[in-house]
Amino acid sequence: MMLLFNDLTRKREEFVPITPGKVSFYSCGPTVYDYFHIGNARPFIVFDVLRRWLEHEGYKVTFVQNFTDIDDKMIHRAHQEHITVAELADKFIAEYNRDADALGIRRPDVSPRATEHIPEIISTIEKIIANGHAYVSEGDVYFDIRSWPKYGSLCKQNLEDLEAGARVEPGEKKRDPLDFALWKAEKPGEPSWPSPWGKGRPGWHIECSAMSSKYLGDNIDIHSGGVDLMFPHHENEAAQSEAASNSGKPFVNYWLHNGFLLIDSEKMSKSLGNFLTARAAIEKYPPLALRFFMLSAHYRSPINFTPESLEQSSAGVERLRNCKGDLDFAAKTRRNDSASFDVDGYKSQLQELDKKFSDAMNDDFNTAAAMGILFDVVYLINTTMKDNETLPGEFFTLSQNALKGYDDILGVIGSDEAENDDAEIESLIQERTEARKAKNFKRSDEIRDELKERGIVLEDTPQGTKWKREL
RNA sequence: GGCGGUAUAGCCAAGUGGUAAGGCAGAGGACUGCAAAUCCUUUACCCCCAGUUCGAAUCUGGGUGCCGCCUCCA
């Protein structure tokens, strides 16, 4: 049984998919006007891991994440850069993919772009108007929140409080300050598309309603995003989608929102000068450490991005990787299939830990607790190798598979790929081994220091010298 | 002002009634030519004050601190 905290009810609920064995999952993606920042990276990483976990649990998941490629920020930036909005979008979609790939974030099953779904958006708006929940006003179309009694039910605010903070732009023709644009009439110099209400462009929220409905249907299992999207974006999305479908069914069964990422205990903002793109973070810290950091706290808690926390995360990743490296090395040097070893006992210990890991992941996706279990697995492997001179192949197969299984979900260990200086490194190690045999420690330490400079760390073991690349 | 979240060791962080996971850092030890890795040992009056209970980090009430949303920012 899987429990998920549903922001609709503010409770942990058992996850029951609409269709047994299948999950429809929509996650809000980036507005592609710039590189995405480290705060954006949190939902991308965390919900990608949730997606993997759902698949691990046997669900066939359809994961949709949009690209918002038309809005005020897009238009503004394109003007600045003297390029078209479409060119800007193409560029930053490519940059998104580059950074997301580097962070080990799997590509969604569908990555729809708003501008490629104008007909769907228009027909969604038409349905909302036909159902009496939107009105046309001088080329704009607004959602009529007063016609929607459930409005405010996701963010749990009453309309008066929301209204107190509502902002009305000059030129907007709203009946109520909280009404929001589904369609915006064309302004000079802005991209526009023909519509029944004249030329214009879609509002911010409507694309998600139109595209989620197209790819996932009117009633979807999971919708995720950052907490700050809860209002107004998700509140509006839900109102639109339900007003359009008019089916009486909720737009979303489980709303999931990740907590905010702070930098040095402050909200990231350009004015504070603590703005950090994912690109810059990847250049500064190992992607594995960034993932480790994101998964080391519960996804709904706030996390604080500091140099110290990233160093700690890097050290944690090192421990995981050391275990994998030691295991792989021992598999080559200490394997002995006739060694006496209680394979069944070991297997049941691993299974017990695996059960704990699953329990943690199924308890509102508690990756922090699950990572704790991963370290327990590491400890079991390390102590087993410590206590046994040689081990049978089954030990290595079981252990390696266990680590790989966890890493397929969390992506915090990684694998080592051969590089073209491998042979040279190994020949230097061979030379060092000869030097050590001859008690020429000066030469042997020289070689070790030289390799250290190049990010290669040597470890001498009774079975020979093992080496690894630093993160 | 309204709504919500959070407060656990030097640091990060699990833990929704039964004598506090895990990681990082530190100290001592084993191992090592020296290291590194690993292993062993070691580090907590769970923000404060009341209350409920046989029993609370966990529940209730009241404080205090920090954070977020209410401003098309994940």
Side-chain angles (χ1 to χ4, degrees):
Chain A
M1 173 164 104
M2 191 180 298
L3 294 174
L4 290 176
F5 186 92
N6 189 349
D7 278 306
L8 206 54
T9 56
R10 297 264 160 80
K11 287 190 179 92
R12 266 189 245 203
E13 296 176 2
E14 181 180 355
F15 176 67
V16 181
I18 297 157
T19 306
K22 291 188 179 173
V23 178
S24 47
F25 192 161
Y26 189 95
S27 198
C28 281
T31 302
V32 284
Y33 72 109
D34 204 342
Y35 298 96
F36 69 90
H37 58 67
I38 193 65
N40 295 315
R42 185 177 191 188
F44 299 154
I45 290 173
V46 149
F47 293 119
D48 174 50
V49 173
L50 176 57
R51 172 197 188 189
R52 298 184 197 206
W53 179 247
L54 288 162
E55 289 178 353
H56 174 272
E57 290 298 274
Y59 294 108
K60 170 84 180 69
V61 181
T62 306
F63 188 78
V64 179
Q65 185 180 82
N66 64 297
F67 285 118
T68 297
D69 61 354
I70 176 69
D71 83 331
D72 291 343
K73 293 193 296 293
M74 295 289 303
I75 292 167
H76 182 68
R77 180 61 61 91
H79 274 298
Q80 278 183 337
E81 308 277 324
H82 304 293
I83 56 176
T84 66
V85 168
E87 286 165 346
L88 181 72
D90 287 344
K91 170 174 164 57
F92 283 111
I93 285 173
E95 302 290 9
Y96 168 87
N97 283 328
R98 182 176 149 192
D99 290 335
D101 289 350
L103 288 169
I105 298 163
R106 270 175 54 200
R107 301 277 178 108
D109 296 306
V110 188
S111 302
R113 295 172 60 157
T115 58
E116 291 172 357
H117 294 78
I118 300 295
E120 289 85 348
I121 288 170
I122 289 171
S123 90
T124 304
I125 296 172
E126 285 178 319
K127 283 185 211 161
I128 299 170
I129 295 173
N131 291 333
H133 298 293
Y135 55 91
V136 182
S137 180
E138 299 180 16
D140 292 340
V141 182
Y142 292 103
F143 189 88
D144 178 7
I145 63 115
R146 291 286 168 181
S147 77
W148 194 253
K150 279 174 71 180
Y151 194 78
S153 61
L154 177 60
C155 66
K156 309 282 189 275
Q157 301 252 39
N158 65 52
L159 297 185
E160 285 63 40
D161 292 326
L162 286 173
E163 220 139 67
R167 173 176 79 163
V168 182
E169 296 282 340
E172 288 187 317
K173 298 281 182 184
K174 297 178 180 179
R175 290 180 192 164
D176 186 289
L178 286 175
D179 288 350
F180 55 92
L182 303 177
W183 188 261
K184 295 183 173 187
E186 179 183 30
K187 290 184 194 147
E190 293 186 354
S192 65
W193 291 263
S195 83
W197 319 286
K199 291 179 81 174
R201 63 182 171 93
W204 174 33
H205 319 291
I206 194 68
E207 61 176 79
C208 288
S209 292
M211 297 190 296
S212 66
S213 159
K214 174 172 180 180
Y215 295 105
L216 299 171
D218 291 333
N219 176 214
I220 70 179
D221 289 305
I222 298 174
H223 191 122
S224 65
V227 269
D228 55 324
L229 289 183
M230 191 152 16
F231 188 86
H233 184 54
H234 288 164
E235 189 73 51
N236 291 355
E237 239 186 283
Q240 290 168 343
S241 289
E242 292 173 19
S245 78
N246 209 21
S247 65
K249 284 184 184 168
F251 168 44
V252 169
N253 286 0
Y254 301 86
W255 282 99
L256 271 41
H257 292 97
N258 64 277
F260 229 76
L261 180 142
L262 303 174
I263 293 199
D264 291 324
S265 304
E266 286 183 308
K267 182 169 173 173
M268 170 168 25
S269 74
K270 285 182 174 160
S271 57
L272 282 170
N274 62 354
F275 195 86
L276 183 69
T277 61
R279 177 71 52 87
I282 291 166
E283 282 162 5
K284 196 166 180 186
Y285 302 104
L288 292 171
L290 292 165
R291 292 182 65 92
F292 186 104
F293 170 71
M294 298 289 183
L295 298 170
S296 66
H298 186 93
Y299 75 94
R300 280 189 289 107
S301 306
I303 49 173
N304 192 16
F305 189 103
T306 64
E308 297 75 40
S309 57
L310 267 293
E311 279 158 25
Q312 291 183 8
S313 294
S314 297
V317 170
E318 289 281 7
R319 180 166 164 82
L320 298 172
R321 290 174 63 80
N322 285 339
C323 177
K324 180 180 183 295
D326 290 351
L327 187 62
D328 292 344
F329 186 74
K332 284 185 275 186
T333 58
R334 290 163 60 185
R335 176 171 168 164
N336 171 8
D337 287 324
S338 55
S340 71
F341 178 72
D342 180 6
V343 172
D344 290 338
Y346 182 71
K347 195 187 234 171
S348 72
Q349 287 181 84
L350 281 179
Q351 281 168 345
E352 201 175 308
L353 289 169
D354 193 58
K355 169 78 165 60
K356 286 185 180 174
F357 183 92
S358 293
D359 288 347
M361 292 295 275
N362 285 329
D363 182 14
D364 192 24
F365 187 46
N366 192 339
T367 55
M371 297 244 285
I373 308 303
L374 177 56
F375 279 99
D376 290 340
V377 173
V378 164
Y379 176 78
L380 175 64
I381 293 170
N382 284 340
T383 48
T384 304
M385 288 196 291
K386 171 88 175 165
D387 294 340
N388 296 275
E389 199 77 11
T390 59
L391 285 153
E394 286 155 296
F395 164 80
F396 295 108
T397 308
L398 285 169
S399 305
Q400 285 166 326
N401 287 345
L403 288 183
K404 181 167 190 315
Y406 296 124
D407 203 44
D408 283 345
I409 294 155
L410 301 173
V412 291
I413 304 175
S415 57
D416 300 300
E417 276 155 42
E419 293 185 30
N420 48 24
D421 60 350
D422 281 8
E424 186 211 340
I425 290 163
E426 287 182 16
S427 92
L428 278 168
I429 290 173
Q430 186 53 42
E431 186 191 338
R432 178 171 172 274
T433 303
E434 303 295 333
R436 291 182 72 218
K437 270 185 198 156
K439 304 266 186 221
N440 182 356
F441 296 121
K442 184 169 174 291
R443 177 59 188 150
S444 107
D445 289 350
E446 253 172 39
I447 293 171
R448 186 167 62 191
D449 292 345
E450 187 190 319
L451 286 170
K452 172 75 179 163
E453 288 288 306
R454 293 166 55 179
I456 310 297
V457 178
L458 303 189
E459 294 170 19
D460 296 322
T461 77
Q463 290 76 35
T465 300
K466 182 160 67 68
W467 65 278
K468 65 180 178 188
R469 289 178 198 278
E470 281 178 325
L471 268 183

